[in-house]
Amino acid sequence: MWHFYNKILKLSETTTTPDGPFPVERAAESFCSGVLPCGSFYEHVVGYWEESNKRPEEVLFLKYEELSRDPEEQVRKLASFMRRPFSSMEDGDAEVEKVLRRSSFNRLKELEVNKNGVWELHRLPNNTFFRKGTVGDWKCYLTPQMAKRIDQLTRLKLQGTGLSLDDF
């Protein structure tokens, strides 16, 4: 989120500070207080989680960490949700691999449309939506105190939902 907002602010030529237009300390505070353009992260996540439990045939809740950890299983889960399950195991395995190759982060990031195209509605370059595609990169930017505060808030906000800190 912090990287994304900074990309947008740089594109709009907003005045920057030495830490960028949106310093990480301010971003962490905004995240914890839920004061963001898209609202509270926790309300958003818990709302979709609850709907996915109420209406599993209509709302699929995928976790980026699980996509990274076991992409084959998550692609099968997505195909089943879309009522387009893969066929027999052998053929299905080849099809899953094909989907994974075609939808890999690195491949999508390098597509010409994503390197040089623009989302006209908001006049944002498509490359604004791509960065590293890794899990855990936050450790390079957040202080231990920021991380501790976010972890504590996450435990509190997810309490009783069936989700936990380990899910993220």
Side-chain angles (χ1 to χ4, degrees), residues 66-132:
E66 288 178 358
L67 283 166
S68 295
R69 196 172 26 251
D70 191 357
E72 294 85 1
E73 177 61 30
Q74 298 306 307
V75 165
R76 288 182 186 283
K77 186 177 180 178
L78 178 60
S80 292
F81 174 77
M82 296 173 67
R83 295 170 182 79
R84 303 284 300 188
F86 294 100
S87 55
S88 68
M89 282 305 272
E90 191 172 304
D91 291 340
D93 287 347
E95 288 300 309
V96 168
E97 287 303 317
K98 187 175 175 182
V99 169
L100 289 172
R101 268 194 319 277
R102 288 183 174 177
S103 62
S104 77
F105 179 85
N106 289 332
R107 180 181 176 279
L108 294 175
K109 184 177 181 176
E110 293 303 316
L111 289 175
E112 187 64 28
V113 68
N114 291 329
K115 287 170 44 173
N116 298 308
V118 174
W119 182 26
E120 291 299 331
L121 180 66
H122 294 287
R123 296 191 179 115
L124 285 176
N126 292 342
N127 67 13
T128 305
F129 299 98
F130 292 87
R131 206 172 73 77
K132 290 184 178 182

Side-chain angles (χ1 to χ4, degrees), residues 3 5 7 14 16 18 20 33 41-42 46 53 62-63 70 95-96 102-103 109 123 131 133 137-138 153 167:
H3 289 285
Y5 288 149
K7 281 184 180 181
T14 302
T16 63
S33 63
F41 169 79
Y42 300 105
V46 170
N53 287 317
L62 295 174
K63 302 169 190 166
D70 191 357
E95 288 300 309
V96 168
R102 288 183 174 177
S103 62
K109 184 177 181 176
R123 296 191 179 115
R131 206 172 73 77
D137 190 52
W138 59 267
L153 184 61
D167 291 318

